Amino acid sequence: MFCWGNATHHELCIDGSENLDLIIKPTISKWKESGHVQSVAAGEFHSLYLTNIGHLYSCGNNDVGQLGRHTKDDDGKYPGSLVETFKGCNLSAIACGLQHSMAIDEWGQPFSWGSDSMGQLGSNLGAHAQDKPKIIKLLATKNLIQIACGSYHSIALTNNGELYTWGANSFGQCGLGMMSNKETTPQQITSLVGVPIALVTCGSNHTFVLSKSGAVYGFGKNGHGQLGLQDKDNRCYPTHLKSLRNVKVCYISCGEDFTAFLTLDGGVFTCGSGEYGQTGHGSVKDELVPRKIMELMGSTVTQIACGRRHVLCRVGDRVLACGYGARGQLGCPHMAFALVPTPVPFTPNDESPTEPADSNKFSTLFNGPIRVFAGGDHSFLVVHSDKSIQADARIPDAKKQILTLNIPKLAACEVFKDDDVVNQDLMAYLETVFGSLSCLNASFLLQNSAHYGCNTKVPGVDIKKAEEAFSIISRFENTSIKELIFSHLTENVIKGVKSSPPDAEALRVFLLLPLYHEMRNPRRHPELQGPFAEAFNRLLVHPQKIVHLWWEAQTAEYFEMLVDIFKSVIVYELMQPVVRLNKSNQLHLCNYAFLFDVQCKSLLLKIDQQLQMQMAIHREVTQIFTRLFMDPTYEYHRDQFLQLTVSRNHIVRDTMLQISNHDSSQLKKPLRVEFVGEEAEDAGGVKKEFFLLLLKEIFDPVYGMFKQSEETNMIWFSNNPFEDDVMYYLIGAIYGLAIYNSIIIYVPFPLVLYKKLLDESVILDDLSDLYPTLANSLKHLLEYPDEDVEEVFCLCFAVNTVVFDQVQVHPLKENGENVPVTHENKAEYVDLYVDFLLNKSVENQFKAFNQGFQKVCGGRIIKLFRSHELMSVVIGNEEYDWEVFESNAEYKNGYCATDQQIRWFWEIFHELSLEDKKKFLLFLTGSDRVPIQGMKDIKIVIQAVADDRYFPVAHTCFNLLDLPRYKTKERLKYYLVQAIQQTQGFSLV
């Protein structure tokens, strides 16, 4: 070990008999343990030395017990004996303040000694000194991995990522969000919860914290710009130094009032006081923003170490120094200060009369790793005998990093069966990692530097590695391990997410937790998926956007998994016997329509309709009870249904009259229909036929309310109807009733109707469903490349319509009939034309229709649907799968799948034409279209009847077919084909 600089109080490890105040060039220590030193910590007038086997030595001033051992006469001048307190254990880390010292033992327990004038010992001694190391009781249960000391304050990092500070806080150097004289006991810095911390370090009155991916946070004194925040204002809370976000800072060292940052590529940035050239920029001015040392450009710096007013840099085979040097700390004889990094001259022994040409290159003279240390006004160079020691500060010491999930540790858990006793060390590891948001966010980072600069595009997570790890976790059999993981993730991690995280690195948990296999278990949603979703919803706009972008950037498989997680929870809840779906839940779900496919939305709509029906019935009961209470003589007739009684001959008149007499609450009841003179009980089938007949008649051109496209047979609102808007209102309500009562009805409305019902924008393509020739002509106009549009097309901003053989002109804009369509305004013309045909020309008609529709079907749930989805729910589809139809069949009253009549039936059915198959579907179910859930949602039940003189009979309400036991296949076919031609009318069967 070599040392140089101030030795006034014998803080340098040299022979104390020499009585030298200054060592002006690197001098080898003659102390017998100097060849085994692992690290050095230096205060202003004392130093600590930690050996490779964890033994602690100290020397220098001991006025307040900062050496941790009793000294007499010249005992403090030389580190001759061990600090007795630690003779029975090994230490892992040491740190020095101005007059206090700290150490961590092999179990992560912290010790402190020396002055406690500002509470820097963390033991609340009331300003007394402590001459022997004692454990900091409030941190005794924590496992510390890093410590650092300022002049009068201290900071510690635990293995689960927690930060604690104590001591002087008049500049805010404790980072607790307020300034105070002192904090006498350790306090947690909660503002950085969730950020995976890699390093802590202190200047005299300021502190820096570095994250795993290079985020730099500073707090405390900033009078010289040492926090790098472009000003000189002190900070009492960790403040992100954003200017360094993308330079990949990997190590930080602090001086008295300046700071040095080492980057992965070997560059050095400095900021703060430059009074003695310690910032290395060739001047003595303060630097308020971190600035790269240009003198080191082209070199790769592997280590930096700051003293009070000087800095050391290791560059290849050399050590360079800059800053204050009047006390020999630069190692350059007679140099009072250096404004730029200057090579430290070095010779292998002090007796060499002249220095060789390569005297600045020291690494070639030693067989082992070399590290530099600095503190106060002195410097150290340690040559390690252990070649495995990491001497590059850019590579973090694995033993001093917070715990993370790693595959070997997880794989070790697989061997434990359900009732096995798990060893305590492994359980402690699992408890730490799965109980810490910071540890999870530090796990599975991309290799090398790929995880640095965590932002909207770079989460820095190796998803493949994470998937592998969580796959192992899913195979765990031991109950204790599984319960520990689940409880810690739900109680500590998810609940620990802040609404405004300090950095994007704290959001990685939103990428990792969906990989946990229990997230795919919907029964866990009260403790797991629900709180996870709530944690996301609590995020402020910017962090929520980051997570959105991360999710979107993942593979399709990952995103589908994410959607399935929450979809499965909703479906699980909806399928419960008593659905726990209330208004607030609906509002919440409607914000996340993207989570649900159309089948799930359809199910949600059905459940919502059932709830509204129940609420309508409950309201009526309440009203009846109130009236009876007010008037006991009141005679009431309670009907839990919306009862419509109509004749087949006057179905439109009867329906309109009865609908108009009911208020909104009545329309919310379950619908029941009765045809005059018919005795069929309406269990579903009568309603189907009712809507089929009613809507067929309503849309008959004879009423003039709707017109049919000659090109596509689609129907649209008439722009000159015979009836008033009230009729459109009632038709809208009827259309809504069909949807509300889950009746599939095929009305050839174009997609644009559903777009308008859902307030989606109408575009030119929507015109194609009604008027494809016109739509193509308008597209041709838009695509026409030449300037002579006016001459070729001869159009103006007006539309002509024919009403009762009279041509009416409709200007599309003011004086439109006199405004020609040109190359410049043709896009405007097309937009106005489409708007006129699909919106303005039928504005009143659609408005009334929509009001009637929304009166029955309106609400947040309907807004979940996209227009094409709602259309498929209303009219079904024609995606027939007859094999599924057969495989889904059930048999009763003596029939089974192997019976001769059943085999004949299916042979005959599959031989039918598509049109006859559709007729059979209409005969059986009341509709020839397929529900949104597909053919699997149509379950035919075939039951045997004895008398083969009758036709097959369909109980449409129940999809039940009475099939007689016909003696021949031909007879069965004849009767079946004849039966399916009769699809109107119900009788009591």
Side-chain angles (χ1 to χ4, degrees):
M1 181 177 73
F2 293 80
C3 45
W4 61 98
N6 183 30
T8 305
H9 293 81
H10 310 285
E11 52 267 40
L12 294 183
C13 186
I14 58 172
D15 187 347
S17 64
E18 297 182 20
N19 291 321
L20 298 175
D21 290 339
L22 301 177
I23 308 300
I24 61 175
K25 63 180 181 178
T27 303
I28 191 168
S29 171
K30 296 178 181 179
W31 174 44
K32 64 177 182 177
E33 294 290 340
S34 66
H36 304 102
V37 171
Q38 175 191 138
S39 62
V40 180
E44 188 168 5
F45 299 116
H46 77 290
S47 302
L48 302 180
Y49 306 90
L50 182 63
T51 68
N52 295 334
I53 59 175
H55 290 170
L56 180 64
Y57 296 85
S58 60
C59 65
N61 189 295
N62 198 30
D63 288 348
V64 288
Q66 58 263 53
L67 298 187
R69 60 188 177 93
H70 292 297
T71 56
K72 295 180 181 178
D73 300 327
D74 293 338
D75 283 357
K77 297 180 180 180
Y78 201 67
S81 58
L82 279 170
V83 175
E84 295 179 358
T85 303
F86 302 115
K87 281 186 178 180
C89 66
N90 297 328
L91 302 181
S92 62
I94 54 176
C96 284
L98 193 66
Q99 291 183 307
H100 75 290
S101 306
M102 286 186 64
I104 305 174
D105 69 13
E106 58 192 313
W107 298 285
Q109 294 182 311
F111 294 80
S112 60
W113 61 96
S115 172
D116 196 40
S117 60
M118 299 301 294
Q120 60 265 49
L121 299 187
S123 297
N124 197 19
L125 299 178
H128 294 293
Q130 185 169 278
D131 60 2
K132 288 185 178 180
K134 291 187 178 179
I135 195 168
I136 303 176
K137 292 182 179 179
L138 289 177
L139 294 176
T141 59
K142 306 293 181 180
N143 190 331
L144 270 59
I145 53 175
Q146 289 186 36
I147 49 175
C149 297
S151 291
Y152 300 101
H153 75 288
S154 308
I155 187 170
L157 173 66
T158 67
N159 69 342
N160 68 344
E162 294 176 350
L163 283 172
Y164 293 89
T165 56
W166 60 95
N169 192 38
S170 56
F171 296 103
Q173 58 264 52
C174 286
L176 300 173
M178 82 294 190
M179 295 179 185
S180 56
N181 182 40
K182 59 183 178 182
E183 298 295 325
T184 58
T185 56
Q187 307 292 320
Q188 185 178 2
I189 299 179
T190 57
S191 60
L192 289 178
V193 166
V195 177
I197 304 301
L199 178 75
V200 296
T201 187
C202 295
S204 288
N205 296 292
H206 70 291
T207 312
F208 269 97
V209 172
L210 177 67
S211 79
K212 281 276 191 181
S213 297
V216 177
Y217 300 90
F219 43 99
K221 187 178 180 182
N222 194 34
H224 295 275
Q226 55 263 53
L227 298 184
L229 299 170
Q230 303 185 44
D231 57 41
K232 294 187 177 183
D233 300 330
N234 302 330
R235 300 294 198 283
C236 60
Y237 51 86
T239 305
H240 190 187
L241 185 45
K242 295 181 180 179
S243 63
L244 292 179
R245 184 71 217 225
N246 296 317
V247 301
K248 300 182 180 179
V249 173
C250 58
Y251 189 81
I252 306 173
S253 184
C254 297
E256 182 178 57
D257 290 315
F258 76 104
T259 311
F261 307 91
L262 177 63
T263 65
L264 275 178
D265 62 2
V268 178
F269 290 76
T270 59
C271 61
S273 175
E275 182 181 2
Y276 298 97
Q278 58 265 53
T279 54
H281 298 302
S283 70
V284 294
K285 68 176 184 177
D286 292 349
E287 300 289 343
L288 303 186
V289 178
R291 180 179 165 198
K292 194 168 189 178
I293 298 179
M294 302 307 294
E295 287 289 330
L296 296 174
M297 289 285 285
S299 302
T300 301
V301 180
T302 58
Q303 297 175 46
I304 56 174
C306 292
R308 189 164 62 103
R309 297 172 180 170
H310 74 290
V311 61
L312 304 179
C313 301
R314 181 183 171 187
V315 180
D317 295 333
R318 300 178 298 165
V319 173
L320 289 79
C322 61
Y324 188 55
R327 297 185 177 180
Q329 58 266 53
L330 299 183
C332 303
H334 316 298
M335 183 175 283
F337 58 87
L339 298 182
V340 294
T342 304
V344 177
F346 179 83
T347 55
N349 61 69
D350 295 337
E351 298 176 357
S352 301
T354 60
E355 297 179 352
D358 63 347
S359 62
N360 296 329
K361 297 183 178 182
F362 57 83
S363 64
T364 57
L365 302 175
F366 305 104
N367 186 23
I370 297 169
R371 295 174 68 191
V372 294
F373 300 90
D377 292 325
H378 28 286
S379 307
F380 301 87
L381 183 150
V382 174
V383 182
H384 295 280
S385 57
D386 183 356
K387 295 183 180 181
S388 65
I389 288 179
Q390 180 55 252
D392 191 333
R394 297 174 300 168
I395 302 174
D397 184 348
K399 296 178 181 178
K400 296 183 178 180
Q401 296 301 299
I402 64 176
L403 293 179
T404 58
L405 281 175
N406 70 74
I407 289 175
K409 283 276 192 181
L410 294 174
C413 297
E414 280 194 274
V415 302
F416 295 99
K417 302 303 180 185
D418 189 14
D419 298 325
D420 290 350
V421 177
V422 185
N423 69 73
Q424 289 303 306
D425 287 344
L426 187 55
M427 290 296 280
Y429 163 79
L430 295 174
E431 189 170 7
T432 299
V433 178
F434 284 104
S436 167
L437 183 59
S438 297
C439 290
L440 278 182
N441 287 328
S443 301
F444 314 116
L445 300 187
L446 293 169
Q447 292 297 305
N448 303 319
S449 62
H451 63 88
Y452 272 78
C454 186
N455 55 37
T456 56
K457 296 180 180 178
V458 183
V461 177
D462 187 335
I463 292 293
K464 293 289 186 185
K465 280 278 188 184
E467 288 174 342
E468 181 182 354
F470 279 100
S471 176
I472 294 173
I473 292 170
S474 71
R475 298 194 293 269
F476 288 171
E477 296 181 19
N478 185 270
T479 301
S480 297
I481 291 177
K482 292 191 292 185
E483 288 180 351
L484 181 149
I485 292 172
F486 183 82
S487 63
H488 278 72
L489 288 179
T490 54
E491 292 299 319
N492 298 328
V493 171
I494 295 177
K495 291 182 179 179
V497 176
K498 293 176 173 287
S499 61
S500 180
D503 189 79
E505 289 182 68
L507 297 170
R508 287 173 176 149
V509 66
F510 287 102
L511 273 180
L512 296 176
L513 272 190
L515 301 174
Y516 179 39
H517 67 283
E518 289 288 0
M519 288 288 277
R520 288 175 285 286
N521 179 359
R523 292 177 177 83
R524 293 287 203 176
H525 76 88
E527 303 95 350
L528 184 59
Q529 297 94 326
F532 178 83
E534 289 172 6
F536 173 78
N537 289 333
R538 284 196 305 268
L539 293 175
L540 299 183
V541 174
H542 183 62
Q544 199 172 84
K545 181 181 179 181
I546 292 175
V547 177
H548 267 151
L549 292 172
W550 286 357
W551 282 342
E552 290 172 3
Q554 301 309 308
T555 62
E557 292 77 13
Y558 179 97
F559 194 78
E560 287 172 5
M561 172 199 69
L562 189 68
V563 171
D564 284 342
I565 286 171
F566 294 98
K567 175 185 168 184
S568 65
V569 171
I570 300 303
V571 172
Y572 172 78
E573 277 296 286
L574 295 178
M575 298 304 291
Q576 296 307 300
V578 179
V579 179
R580 296 178 290 274
L581 185 68
N582 54 39
K583 184 176 180 180
S584 63
N585 286 336
Q586 290 176 25
L587 294 176
H588 181 75
L589 293 173
C590 290
N591 292 328
Y592 303 97
F594 73 93
L595 289 175
F596 313 116
D597 58 20
V598 64
Q599 287 84 7
C600 190
K601 292 175 184 178
S602 178
L603 178 59
L604 192 59
L605 178 63
K606 187 173 183 179
I607 297 297
D608 179 60
Q609 291 163 352
Q610 292 172 353
L611 288 174
Q612 290 196 53
M613 289 177 180
Q614 293 171 9
M615 292 170 63
I617 295 171
H618 177 73
R619 280 194 298 268
E620 183 179 25
V621 171
T622 303
Q623 291 171 0
I624 291 172
F625 177 79
T626 302
R627 294 194 65 175
L628 279 173
F629 182 78
M630 300 298 295
D631 182 8
T633 63
Y634 169 70
E635 294 185 6
Y636 73 94
H637 172 68
R638 178 191 169 192
D639 192 345
Q640 61 181 344
F641 296 98
L642 170 61
Q643 183 75 39
L644 298 181
T645 302
V646 297
S647 69
R648 291 183 180 273
N649 294 331
H650 303 96
I651 189 170
V652 174
R653 182 199 65 187
D654 293 347
T655 301
M656 294 300 183
L657 182 62
Q658 292 178 67
I659 290 293
S660 63
N661 289 332
H662 289 301
D663 60 22
S664 180
S665 63
Q666 294 293 315
L667 295 178
K668 293 289 186 180
K669 291 181 182 180
L671 176 64
R672 176 170 288 178
V673 176
E674 178 184 350
F675 284 105
V676 175
E678 300 180 19
E679 301 178 357
E681 180 182 348
D682 188 5
V686 180
K687 285 196 293 284
K688 295 177 185 177
E689 188 188 19
F690 163 74
F691 281 111
L692 189 68
L693 298 176
L694 175 66
L695 293 173
K696 181 179 180 180
E697 189 165 342
I698 283 177
F699 294 114
D700 192 304
V702 71
Y703 287 96
M705 298 182 68
F706 296 90
K707 58 184 178 182
Q708 190 170 38
S709 167
E710 295 179 356
E711 295 180 80
T712 65
N713 292 326
M714 289 284 182
I715 62 171
W716 193 237
F717 299 93
S718 172
N719 58 1
N720 190 42
F722 303 150
E723 304 287 348
D724 57 22
D725 293 343
V726 174
M727 289 299 293
Y728 284 105
Y729 173 85
L730 293 173
I731 293 172
I734 291 169
Y735 204 69
L737 275 175
I739 300 173
Y740 187 70
N741 286 272
S742 302
I743 304 297
I744 294 178
I745 50 172
Y746 180 67
V747 177
F749 274 125
L751 177 64
V752 67
L753 173 74
Y754 301 93
K755 295 183 77 171
K756 289 167 70 67
L757 289 172
L758 295 172
D759 292 327
E760 294 180 13
S761 299
V762 175
I763 59 176
L764 174 58
D765 285 342
D766 295 318
L767 202 60
S768 299
D769 289 338
L770 289 167
Y771 313 114
T773 302
L774 174 59
N776 289 332
S777 298
L778 294 175
K779 289 177 182 178
H780 177 61
L781 172 63
L782 289 175
E783 294 166 358
Y784 187 74
D786 299 331
E787 299 286 335
D788 57 347
V789 169
E790 185 175 354
E791 293 78 12
V792 172
F793 290 90
C794 302
L795 297 171
C796 66
F797 275 76
V799 175
N800 296 334
T801 61
V802 179
V803 179
F804 300 120
D805 298 327
Q806 298 293 318
V807 176
Q808 294 184 354
V809 179
H810 305 275
L812 296 178
K813 58 192 298 186
E814 186 176 354
N815 197 32
E817 60 269 35
N818 297 317
V819 178
V821 176
T822 65
H823 183 76
E824 289 73 22
N825 64 19
K826 64 182 180 180
E828 180 189 8
Y829 169 77
V830 171
D831 289 342
L832 292 174
Y833 201 148
V834 172
D835 183 55
F836 172 79
L837 290 179
L838 299 181
N839 293 325
K840 290 183 177 176
S841 66
V842 295
E843 183 174 6
N844 293 333
Q845 298 90 306
F846 172 76
K847 182 178 179 181
F849 179 93
N850 187 43
Q851 286 175 342
F853 177 86
Q854 299 295 343
K855 181 177 182 179
V856 181
C857 273
R860 289 292 298 272
I861 296 297
I862 204 76
K863 297 297 184 182
L864 283 173
F865 290 87
R866 302 286 297 276
S867 52
H868 65 278
E869 294 173 334
L870 181 60
M871 184 177 184
S872 64
V873 169
V874 175
I875 69 173
N877 58 62
E878 293 186 321
E879 297 175 7
Y880 303 104
D881 188 332
W882 305 114
E883 299 300 328
V884 171
F885 182 54
E886 178 182 352
S887 65
N888 209 28
E890 290 185 2
Y891 308 96
K892 58 189 296 188
N893 286 0
Y895 270 149
C896 65
T898 57
D899 283 349
Q900 183 67 65
Q901 284 81 7
I902 297 300
R903 291 202 304 271
W904 285 342
F905 171 81
W906 287 115
E907 289 171 5
I908 293 166
F909 178 81
H910 289 302
E911 291 169 359
L912 294 175
S913 67
L914 176 60
E915 286 305 311
D916 280 344
K917 286 177 181 175
K918 291 168 65 175
K919 286 180 180 179
F920 176 82
L921 206 57
L922 179 62
F923 170 70
L924 177 73
T925 69
S927 172
D928 63 355
R929 298 180 67 83
V930 180
I932 190 64
Q933 287 82 6
M935 289 293 283
K936 68 178 186 296
D937 205 44
I938 303 176
K939 183 182 291 294
I940 179 176
V941 180
I942 305 177
Q943 68 177 4
V945 292
D947 197 334
D948 65 356
R949 294 175 299 170
Y950 295 102
F951 289 96
V953 175
H955 302 257
T956 315
C957 310
F958 309 105
N959 294 353
L960 177 64
L961 178 68
D962 288 346
L963 184 66
R965 290 184 179 274
Y966 298 110
K967 299 296 189 297
T968 66
K969 180 178 178 180
E970 290 72 20
R971 187 175 179 83
L972 191 158
K973 180 175 182 180
Y974 172 79
Y975 276 90
L976 179 64
V977 171
Q978 291 299 313
I980 63 178
Q981 310 305 318
Q982 312 300 321
T983 56
Q984 293 185 6
F986 288 79
S987 59
L988 190 63
V989 294

